Amino acid sequence: MKIAMISEHASPLAALGGVDAGGQNVHVAALSEALAKRGHHVTVYTRRDATELPARVRVGRRLEVVHVDAGPARHVPKDELLPYMGELADGVARDWGQRPPDVVHGHFWMSGLAALDAARRPDAGYRVPVIQTFHALGTVKRRHQGAEDTSPTERRWLEPGVGRSADRIIATCSDEVFELKAMGITTGKISIAPCGVDLGFFSAEGPAAARKRRHRILSVGRLVPRKGVDLVIRALPHLRAAGFDDVELLIVGGGDSGVLHADPEVRRLLALAAELGVADQVSLQGQVSRAEMPGIFRSADAWSVRPGTSRSASSRWRRWPAASPWWRLPWAACGTPWWTTPPACTCRRGTRKRSPRRSRCCSETRTCAPNSATPARCVPVPGTRGSGWPPKRRRPTSSPWRRPRPAPYPWKEQRCDC
């Protein structure tokens, strides 16, 4: 089968950890590689965001990436790409010519617009079936980000239109199906394909990256304020007070290491670390290649899961908005425990509406730290009941249908005196 993937801002070739380079890049790359290995011919279309990028990149025997000229050949924030979707669709249609693919798969709502445009042109003489994966929904983003949502206004009606026009929608969890149904999309054309993990690539067996201290906490992801990296930094003084002073926090993500310190969020985090007296315990590595990640995972004693705000969450993690549970699978496969950093306290001074069940207030197990984004945040106090520190490393299992259980995080103990 000849398959076309359209991913306007998330190139499968991009280094991970940038502002707009994260889970979708991994998803598109892994899905394309898997389909190519099964004998399908896959072409991934993405927007050219640098002048030096070649027009086509052959990744494998049946897989190639095509850079389409759509807008300026430089990085443009994904929420500002809507005006260029027509150019992207034109470039895709030109590349197809009179030999269209058997199916086109749009990733993200703007890619869905380009896919529908290229696949259903009246003068083309063909109609290509369109499959859509949203990866993030505007309704969820608006609900949890509010005024901080930078999506274009047109997303409110264009995104539901993509869902209604696509021939098939692939959702990653049941919560996403409920969100799509609320948007007026027929559930009969929605299929659920949960995210997985490559156990041949991520495993507990293999070399681990070197570390500077006895213990290492790892934080991986894009460096944006809503991810709550500052909350992990605020936990370091409490670890020191509990007797764990030889702890390193390694932050992977952000821009290229050469220009990392020009990022305002990086400067804010480093200033916070200096203010708390833990600057020598915080290391920022910037973007890293996917091949380096298993070794980095194995080197950590624990991984701090930071809640997101734009991706649908599975029912198990529904109480924390957009917690992206699929990110935990590679860590679990590498035998690394993890815990979740709550996005905000749930007392009267908090700003979040959703909260863990039976959330109460107690300063013995939590301490509230001021934060610019929210009036107060709850930080676990290590060494107390419910702190989950030091974490216990779980023995990985070789079964592809079972994964190691994470270190427990007792929500019943979450309380806060504000």
Side-chain angles (χ1 to χ4, degrees):
M1 182 181 290
K2 187 178 178 182
I3 303 172
M5 301 273 188
I6 300 181
S7 179
E8 93 288 346
H9 73 273
S11 170
L13 304 177
L16 302 181
V19 175
D20 290 327
Q24 184 175 328
N25 303 67
V26 176
H27 184 106
V28 174
L31 177 61
S32 301
E33 290 175 3
L35 290 171
K37 288 179 180 179
R38 295 182 71 120
H40 302 289
H41 294 268
V42 183
T43 304
V44 181
Y45 296 92
T46 188
R47 196 187 74 88
R48 181 191 298 277
D49 59 4
T51 55
E52 65 273 13
L53 291 174
R56 311 181 83 90
V57 178
R58 176 67 64 175
V59 180
R61 181 181 175 187
R62 301 182 185 90
L63 174 60
E64 67 176 348
V65 176
V66 177
H67 295 110
V68 181
D69 292 319
R74 56 175 173 80
H75 172 73
V76 177
K78 66 180 179 182
D79 289 329
E80 300 176 12
L81 291 175
L82 181 59
Y84 309 119
M85 290 304 100
E87 296 179 46
L88 180 63
D90 292 341
V92 171
R94 278 195 304 270
D95 191 70
W96 289 352
Q98 292 303 313
R99 302 182 62 185
D102 297 301
V103 65
V104 56
H105 190 169
H107 295 268
F108 200 55
W109 70 278
M110 281 189 276
S111 294
L113 290 173
L116 289 167
D117 186 353
R120 299 178 181 177
R121 298 197 165 191
D123 56 346
Y126 55 75
R127 185 184 187 279
V128 182
V130 177
I131 298 176
Q132 175 67 23
T133 298
F134 284 100
H135 294 276
L137 293 173
T139 54
V140 178
K141 194 174 181 181
R142 288 191 298 272
R143 184 182 308 140
H144 297 294
Q145 290 189 18
E148 297 179 0
D149 180 16
T150 58
S151 300
T153 306
E154 295 89 342
R155 184 174 186 175
R156 291 177 178 266
W157 60 85
L158 290 177
E159 188 170 51
V162 170
R164 289 190 289 266
S165 301
D167 297 287
R168 198 77 188 172
I169 297 175
I170 298 179
T172 56
C173 61
S174 57
D175 268 18
E176 186 177 351
V177 177
F178 290 119
E179 295 285 351
L180 293 169
K181 182 179 180 180
M183 293 164 59
I185 298 172
T186 305
T187 57
K189 65 176 182 180
I190 303 175
S191 300
I192 298 178
C195 298
V197 60
D198 184 355
L199 295 177
F201 184 73
F202 294 102
S203 70
E205 305 298 329
R211 59 187 187 187
K212 302 175 182 178
R213 294 176 177 265
R214 180 181 178 185
H215 300 293
R216 168 177 281 183
I217 301 174
L218 194 56
S219 178
V220 178
R222 295 179 292 133
L223 295 185
V224 291
R226 68 175 183 268
K227 295 295 184 178
V229 185
D230 56 334
L231 186 60
V232 190
I233 296 176
R234 293 181 189 277
L236 293 178
H238 298 292
L239 285 171
R240 180 182 295 173
F244 299 97
D245 54 353
D246 198 15
V247 179
E248 171 195 14
L249 170 60
L250 178 63
I251 302 173
V252 177
D256 184 82
S257 58
V259 296
L260 189 62
H261 291 268
D263 188 336
E265 177 66 5
V266 171
R267 293 199 297 267
R268 184 180 75 89
L269 295 175
L270 292 177
L272 175 63
E275 177 186 343
L276 297 175
V278 295
D280 60 328
Q281 295 179 249
V282 178
S283 302
L284 289 97
Q285 193 162 340
Q287 292 180 343
V288 300
S289 66
R290 183 171 180 264
E292 299 176 75
M293 291 309 301
I296 294 176
F297 288 171
R298 299 185 196 107
S299 71
D301 294 300
W303 172 44
S304 172
V305 181
R306 308 188 307 271
T309 53
S310 61
R311 192 178 297 273
S312 300
S314 70
S315 57
R316 180 181 177 187
W317 297 98
R318 192 172 183 174
R319 51 186 149 228
W320 287 132
S324 301
W326 69 271
W327 268 112
R328 298 168 177 80
L329 300 182
W331 294 83
C334 293
T336 306
W338 52 266
W339 77 82
T340 297
T341 55
C345 72
T346 56
C347 58
R348 287 179 299 174
R349 293 179 60 193
T351 59
R352 301 287 179 176
K353 294 183 179 179
R354 295 191 178 186
S355 61
R357 283 178 271 184
R358 305 181 203 177
S359 177
R360 297 165 296 180
C361 284
C362 173
S363 58
E364 285 88 15
T365 58
R366 302 278 152 173
T367 178
C368 267
N371 182 269
S372 59
T374 56
R377 288 195 172 218
C378 299
V379 181
V381 178
T384 62
R385 182 184 177 189
S387 67
W389 184 271
K392 297 180 180 180
R393 182 175 289 273
R394 301 284 177 169
R395 184 176 180 180
T397 175
S398 58
S399 171
W401 303 110
R402 299 181 61 189
R403 58 179 182 268
R405 295 178 62 188
Y409 194 99
W411 296 110
K412 292 183 180 180
E413 297 300 322
Q414 173 169 327
R415 301 187 291 182
C416 174
D417 266 345
C418 297

